[in-house]
Amino acid sequence: MPETAPPSTMRAVVFDQGSSSRLDRVPTPSPSAGEVLLRPIRVGVCGTDEHLLHGGFIAKFPLIPGHEIVAEIVGYGDGTHGPDIGTQVVVDPTVFCGDCPACKRGQPGYCSSFGSLGCDRAGGFAEFLVAQTSKIFPTNGLSPDVAVLAEPTACAMHGVDILALKPASDVLIFGAGPTGLILAQLLRMAGAARVTVAAPTASKLDLAKRQGASHTVQVDRSNPQVAEAELRRIAPEGFDAVVEATGSISVLEMGVGLTRNGGTILVYGLAGEQALAKVRPYEIFSRELTIKGSFAQAHCIDRALFALQSGQVSTEGIITSAIGLEQFQHALDNLHDSEQIKSVIIPNSTERDARSRVSVFTQN
Ligand SMILES: [Zn+2]
Ligand SMILES: [Zn+2]
């Protein structure tokens, strides 16, 4: 039980059926045996939150979203122990049943009842949340503004595991959002001798360069052939691996053509569930291409934290807004602002504190 009882109600962002979002007062959750009560410190906002708002992915309403969570331990359920009260932790939001055929094969990512805090059960855009004690990872002094990127880094880590590069690979990534930027750095650690990042926004490409990308290519969405020609000049034989991290069908189609014979395309971006891409089976056959997918992550949070703690993955410049629960809509709007990269919510700050933080971040 918590050492000091939390208030009986708390503020939370709640998504309802019909794409509606509200800030409301709801009962504060209490931890059962095996669970921990947490006070969120920073919670990242990502495109998945918007998909959930519109009923996509594994949304279950009413829903408190927020799955990229750094929090402080407030208390434990009966008979449950763990790190000291007040310890800052990253939460692995995934929930696996442990009992289905996939779980029994040691492939929990394919769990038939795969769940996630903030997706099909209460997440972090609230003053408190409950998690399984087995799913918290102390940040060991890592700044919460860095640790909040542990979950997206874990998902990128899983993608890099799936891709399984050979040493000295030549890799192209489409997309310079938080994911593209983190993937570019992880791929260097995982064997890429050259990483080229292609995306529409110049400021994000500059950041990719500062974080170690070898080449960057600006993509004009209305005239992508220019970028395609430039990418072909960079790698006349094609790239060993092409990572599609935008969710765009036309980018995926372009990426297939830019892959070297015998190379691999990684589908990382989230496309619409019913979207169709044109791929020529003869090309896959004759050029012996491999198409792989990467979905969420399982058991990658500890390595993600290590990558951040070691400084091998830089998060410099990735967080562009930090705001309070009151302005959650603003964070959703930022997903469509090309100059914004990652917004984080500070669920327990006052609005004024949060506002002053925004200016701190946007001055960078
Ligand atoms: Zn996310
Ligand atoms: Zn399962």
Side-chain angles (χ1 to χ4, degrees):
M1 292 298 282
E3 284 183 344
T4 48
S8 61
T9 63
M10 64 173 188
R11 294 181 316 146
V13 171
V14 182
F15 286 177
D16 294 303
Q17 196 82 46
S19 304
S20 87
S21 165
R22 61 191 151 97
L23 178 65
D24 210 345
R25 199 155 263 290
V26 301
T28 302
S30 76
S32 302
E35 291 180 336
V36 56
L37 180 66
L38 300 165
R39 181 185 292 116
I41 298 169
R42 300 280 187 283
V43 184
V45 179
C46 89
T48 302
D49 295 311
E50 188 159 65
H51 282 271
L52 292 164
L53 174 62
H54 301 302
F57 195 41
I58 53 174
K60 263 197 199 136
F61 300 114
L63 173 70
I64 298 174
H67 58 275
E68 303 176 359
I69 306 161
V70 179
E72 178 185 55
I73 296 176
V74 177
Y76 291 96
D78 281 343
T80 305
H81 305 281
D84 291 346
I85 304 297
T87 303
Q88 183 184 290
V89 297
V90 163
V91 180
D92 180 345
T94 56
V95 181
F96 310 124
C97 76
D99 209 31
C100 71
C103 282
K104 284 178 171 164
R105 282 190 177 194
Q107 297 180 310
Y110 309 140
C111 175
S112 57
S113 40
F114 177 90
S116 173
L117 304 186
C119 297
D120 65 343
R121 58 202 78 199
F125 297 136
E127 288 173 311
F128 295 93
L129 90 151
V130 161
Q132 293 171 300
T133 304
S134 59
K135 294 281 190 163
I136 56 173
F137 297 80
T139 56
N140 297 324
L142 194 64
S143 156
D145 293 317
V146 175
V148 72
L149 290 160
E151 197 275 346
T153 301
C155 292
M157 186 81 77
H158 177 67
V160 172
D161 287 348
I162 294 272
L163 189 55
L165 288 182
K166 288 182 182 154
S169 291
D170 192 8
V171 182
L172 166 64
I173 303 176
F174 283 106
T179 287
L181 292 167
I182 292 169
L183 271 170
Q185 300 178 72
L186 288 177
L187 287 164
R188 284 301 286 263
M189 291 167 67
R194 184 167 73 162
V195 174
T196 301
V197 179
T201 309
S203 58
K204 294 182 185 178
L205 293 174
D206 288 345
L207 187 54
K209 253 251 125 125
R210 289 210 298 279
Q211 293 176 346
S214 324
H215 293 278
T216 58
V217 172
Q218 193 166 9
V219 180
D220 176 354
R221 283 200 182 95
S222 59
N223 189 11
Q225 293 84 353
V226 176
E228 188 173 7
E230 194 176 340
L231 290 165
R232 224 169 261 296
R233 263 197 304 280
I234 292 171
E237 299 294 315
F239 295 87
D240 295 305
V242 175
V243 180
E244 200 303 293
T246 71
S248 156
I249 299 305
S250 58
V251 169
L252 175 63
E253 291 170 347
M254 189 202 291
V256 171
L258 290 166
T259 307
R260 182 198 291 267
N261 289 349
T264 303
I265 300 106
L266 179 67
V267 180
Y268 191 96
L270 183 58
E273 283 174 38
Q274 304 304 322
L276 289 171
K278 285 198 201 95
V279 175
R280 291 185 295 123
Y282 183 80
E283 183 174 7
I284 307 295
F285 160 79
S286 62
R287 302 212 294 115
E288 297 196 337
L289 301 180
T290 302
I291 300 178
K292 291 180 167 181
S294 172
F295 167 75
Q297 61 87 29
H299 305 310
C300 293
I301 295 278
D302 58 340
R303 280 192 297 149
L305 265 175
F306 189 53
L308 295 171
Q309 280 158 348
S310 68
Q312 294 294 307
V313 169
S314 164
T315 61
E316 180 236 318
I318 292 182
I319 295 175
T320 43
S321 282
I323 53 193
L325 281 175
E326 301 81 6
Q327 300 133 303
F328 182 75
Q329 184 56 47
H330 182 51
L332 287 181
D333 295 342
N334 282 346
L335 292 169
H336 301 281
D337 177 345
S338 62
E339 293 302 323
Q340 291 283 335
I341 304 179
K342 169 71 84 181
S343 299
V344 299
I345 299 292
I346 307 179
N348 283 286
S349 74
T350 66
E351 187 169 354
R352 203 164 133 207
D353 286 347
R355 280 230 175 94
S356 66
R357 291 197 62 86
V358 175
S359 58
V360 169
F361 279 93
T362 51
Q363 274 164 14
N364 289 339

Coordinates of all heavy atoms in Angstrom, one line a residue, residues 223-260:
N223 N 7.1 16.2 -55.4 CA 8.0 15.8 -56.5 C 9.1 14.9 -56.0 O 10.2 15.2 -56.0 CB 8.6 17.1 -57.1 CG 9.3 16.8 -58.4 OD1 9.2 15.7 -59.0 ND2 10.1 17.8 -58.9
P224 N 8.7 13.7 -55.6 CA 9.6 12.8 -54.9 C 10.7 12.2 -55.8 O 11.7 11.7 -55.4 CB 8.7 11.7 -54.3 CG 7.5 11.7 -55.1 CD 7.3 13.1 -55.6
Q225 N 10.4 12.3 -57.2 CA 11.4 11.7 -58.1 C 12.8 12.4 -58.0 O 13.8 11.7 -58.3 CB 10.9 11.9 -59.6 CG 9.6 11.2 -59.9 CD 8.4 11.9 -59.5 OE1 8.4 13.0 -58.8 NE2 7.2 11.4 -59.9
V226 N 12.8 13.6 -57.6 CA 14.1 14.3 -57.4 C 15.0 13.6 -56.3 O 16.1 13.3 -56.5 CB 14.0 15.8 -57.1 CG1 15.3 16.5 -56.9 CG2 13.2 16.5 -58.2
A227 N 14.3 13.3 -55.2 CA 15.0 12.7 -54.1 C 15.3 11.2 -54.5 O 16.4 10.8 -54.2 CB 14.1 12.6 -52.9
E228 N 14.5 10.6 -55.3 CA 14.7 9.2 -55.7 C 16.0 9.2 -56.5 O 16.9 8.3 -56.4 CB 13.5 8.7 -56.5 CG 13.7 7.2 -56.8 CD 12.4 6.7 -57.4 OE1 11.5 7.4 -57.7 OE2 12.3 5.4 -57.6
A229 N 16.1 10.2 -57.5 CA 17.3 10.2 -58.3 C 18.6 10.4 -57.5 O 19.6 9.8 -57.7 CB 17.1 11.3 -59.4
E230 N 18.5 11.3 -56.5 CA 19.6 11.6 -55.6 C 20.0 10.3 -54.8 O 21.2 10.0 -54.7 CB 19.3 12.8 -54.7 CG 20.5 13.3 -54.0 CD 20.2 14.6 -53.2 OE1 19.2 15.2 -53.4 OE2 21.1 14.8 -52.3
L231 N 19.0 9.6 -54.3 CA 19.3 8.4 -53.6 C 20.0 7.3 -54.5 O 20.9 6.6 -54.1 CB 18.0 7.8 -53.0 CG 17.5 8.7 -51.8 CD1 16.0 8.3 -51.5 CD2 18.3 8.6 -50.6
R232 N 19.6 7.3 -55.7 CA 20.2 6.4 -56.7 C 21.6 6.8 -57.0 O 22.5 5.9 -57.1 CB 19.4 6.4 -58.0 CG 19.1 5.0 -58.5 CD 18.1 5.0 -59.6 NE 16.8 4.6 -59.2 CZ 16.5 3.4 -58.7 NH1 17.4 2.5 -58.5 NH2 15.3 3.1 -58.3
R233 N 21.9 8.1 -57.0 CA 23.3 8.5 -57.2 C 24.1 8.1 -56.0 O 25.3 7.7 -56.1 CB 23.3 10.1 -57.3 CG 23.4 10.6 -58.7 CD 23.8 12.0 -58.8 NE 23.0 12.9 -58.0 CZ 21.8 13.4 -58.4 NH1 21.3 13.0 -59.6 NH2 21.2 14.2 -57.6
I234 N 23.6 8.2 -54.8 CA 24.3 7.8 -53.6 C 24.6 6.3 -53.6 O 25.7 5.9 -53.2 CB 23.5 8.2 -52.3 CG1 23.5 9.7 -52.1 CG2 24.1 7.6 -51.0 CD1 22.5 10.2 -51.0
A235 N 23.6 5.5 -54.0 CA 23.8 4.0 -54.0 C 23.4 3.5 -55.3 O 22.2 3.0 -55.5 CB 23.1 3.4 -52.8
P236 N 24.2 3.6 -56.4 CA 23.8 3.2 -57.7 C 23.3 1.7 -57.8 O 22.4 1.4 -58.6 CB 25.1 3.4 -58.5 CG 25.9 4.4 -57.8 CD 25.6 4.1 -56.4
E237 N 23.9 0.8 -56.9 CA 23.4 -0.6 -56.9 C 22.3 -0.8 -56.0 O 21.8 -1.9 -55.8 CB 24.6 -1.5 -56.5 CG 25.8 -1.4 -57.4 CD 25.6 -2.0 -58.7 OE1 24.9 -3.1 -58.8 OE2 25.9 -1.3 -59.7
G238 N 21.8 0.2 -55.3 CA 20.8 0.1 -54.3 C 21.4 -0.1 -52.9 O 22.5 -0.3 -52.7
F239 N 20.5 0.1 -51.9 CA 20.9 -0.1 -50.5 C 20.7 -1.5 -50.0 O 19.8 -2.2 -50.4 CB 20.1 0.9 -49.6 CG 20.3 2.4 -49.9 CD1 19.6 3.0 -50.9 CD2 21.3 3.1 -49.2 CE1 19.8 4.4 -51.2 CE2 21.6 4.4 -49.5 CZ 20.8 5.1 -50.5
D240 N 21.6 -1.9 -49.1 CA 21.4 -3.3 -48.6 C 20.1 -3.4 -47.8 O 19.5 -4.5 -47.8 CB 22.6 -3.6 -47.6 CG 23.9 -3.7 -48.3 OD1 24.0 -4.4 -49.3 OD2 24.8 -2.9 -47.9
A241 N 19.8 -2.4 -47.1 CA 18.5 -2.4 -46.4 C 17.8 -1.0 -46.5 O 18.5 0.0 -46.4 CB 18.8 -2.7 -44.9
V242 N 16.5 -1.0 -46.7 CA 15.7 0.2 -46.7 C 14.7 0.1 -45.6 O 13.9 -0.9 -45.6 CB 15.1 0.4 -48.1 CG1 14.1 1.6 -48.1 CG2 16.1 0.5 -49.2
V243 N 14.7 1.1 -44.7 CA 13.7 1.1 -43.6 C 12.7 2.1 -43.9 O 13.0 3.3 -44.1 CB 14.5 1.4 -42.3 CG1 13.5 1.4 -41.1 CG2 15.6 0.4 -42.0
E244 N 11.4 1.7 -44.0 CA 10.3 2.6 -44.2 C 9.7 2.9 -42.9 O 9.1 2.1 -42.2 CB 9.3 1.9 -45.1 CG 8.3 2.8 -45.8 CD 7.6 3.7 -44.9 OE1 6.7 3.2 -44.1 OE2 7.8 4.9 -44.9
A245 N 10.0 4.2 -42.4 CA 9.6 4.6 -41.1 C 8.6 5.8 -41.1 O 8.6 6.6 -40.2 CB 10.8 4.9 -40.2
T246 N 7.8 5.8 -42.2 CA 6.9 6.9 -42.4 C 5.4 6.5 -42.4 O 4.5 7.2 -42.1 CB 7.1 7.7 -43.7 OG1 6.7 6.9 -44.8 CG2 8.5 8.1 -43.9
G247 N 5.2 5.2 -42.8 CA 3.8 4.7 -42.9 C 3.2 5.1 -44.3 O 2.0 4.7 -44.5
S248 N 4.0 5.7 -45.1 CA 3.5 6.1 -46.4 C 3.6 5.0 -47.5 O 4.7 4.4 -47.6 CB 4.2 7.4 -46.9 OG 4.2 7.5 -48.3
I249 N 2.5 4.7 -48.2 CA 2.5 3.7 -49.2 C 3.5 4.0 -50.3 O 4.2 3.2 -50.8 CB 1.1 3.4 -49.7 CG1 0.2 3.0 -48.6 CG2 1.1 2.4 -50.8 CD1 0.7 1.8 -47.8
S250 N 3.4 5.3 -50.8 CA 4.3 5.6 -52.0 C 5.7 5.5 -51.6 O 6.6 5.2 -52.4 CB 3.9 7.0 -52.5 OG 4.0 8.0 -51.5
V251 N 6.1 5.8 -50.3 CA 7.5 5.7 -49.9 C 7.9 4.3 -49.9 O 9.0 3.9 -50.3 CB 7.6 6.4 -48.5 CG1 9.0 6.1 -47.9 CG2 7.5 7.9 -48.6
L252 N 7.0 3.4 -49.4 CA 7.3 2.0 -49.4 C 7.6 1.5 -50.8 O 8.6 0.8 -51.1 CB 6.2 1.2 -48.7 CG 6.3 -0.3 -48.8 CD1 7.5 -0.8 -48.0 CD2 5.1 -1.0 -48.2
E253 N 6.7 1.9 -51.7 CA 6.9 1.5 -53.1 C 8.2 2.0 -53.7 O 8.9 1.2 -54.4 CB 5.7 2.0 -54.0 CG 4.4 1.3 -53.6 CD 3.1 1.9 -54.2 OE1 3.2 3.0 -54.7 OE2 2.1 1.2 -54.1
M254 N 8.6 3.2 -53.4 CA 9.8 3.8 -53.9 C 11.0 3.0 -53.2 O 12.0 2.7 -53.9 CB 10.0 5.2 -53.5 CG 11.2 5.9 -54.1 SD 11.7 7.4 -53.2 CE 10.3 8.5 -53.6
G255 N 10.8 2.6 -52.0 CA 11.9 1.9 -51.2 C 12.3 0.6 -51.8 O 13.4 0.2 -51.8
V256 N 11.3 -0.1 -52.3 CA 11.5 -1.4 -53.0 C 12.5 -1.3 -54.1 O 13.5 -2.0 -54.3 CB 10.2 -2.1 -53.4 CG1 10.5 -3.3 -54.2 CG2 9.3 -2.4 -52.2
G257 N 12.2 -0.2 -54.9 CA 13.1 0.0 -56.1 C 14.5 0.4 -55.7 O 15.4 0.2 -56.5
L258 N 14.7 1.0 -54.5 CA 16.0 1.5 -54.1 C 16.8 0.4 -53.3 O 17.9 0.7 -52.8 CB 15.8 2.7 -53.3 CG 15.4 4.0 -54.0 CD1 14.9 5.1 -53.1 CD2 16.5 4.5 -54.9
T259 N 16.2 -0.8 -53.2 CA 16.9 -1.9 -52.5 C 17.8 -2.7 -53.4 O 17.4 -3.0 -54.5 CB 15.8 -2.8 -51.8 OG1 14.9 -2.0 -51.1 CG2 16.5 -3.8 -50.9
R260 N 19.0 -3.0 -53.0 CA 20.0 -3.7 -53.8 C 19.4 -5.2 -54.0 O 18.7 -5.7 -53.2 CB 21.3 -3.8 -53.0 CG 22.4 -4.5 -53.6 CD 23.5 -4.9 -52.6 NE 24.2 -3.7 -52.1 CZ 25.3 -3.3 -52.6 NH1 25.9 -3.8 -53.6 NH2 25.9 -2.2 -52.0

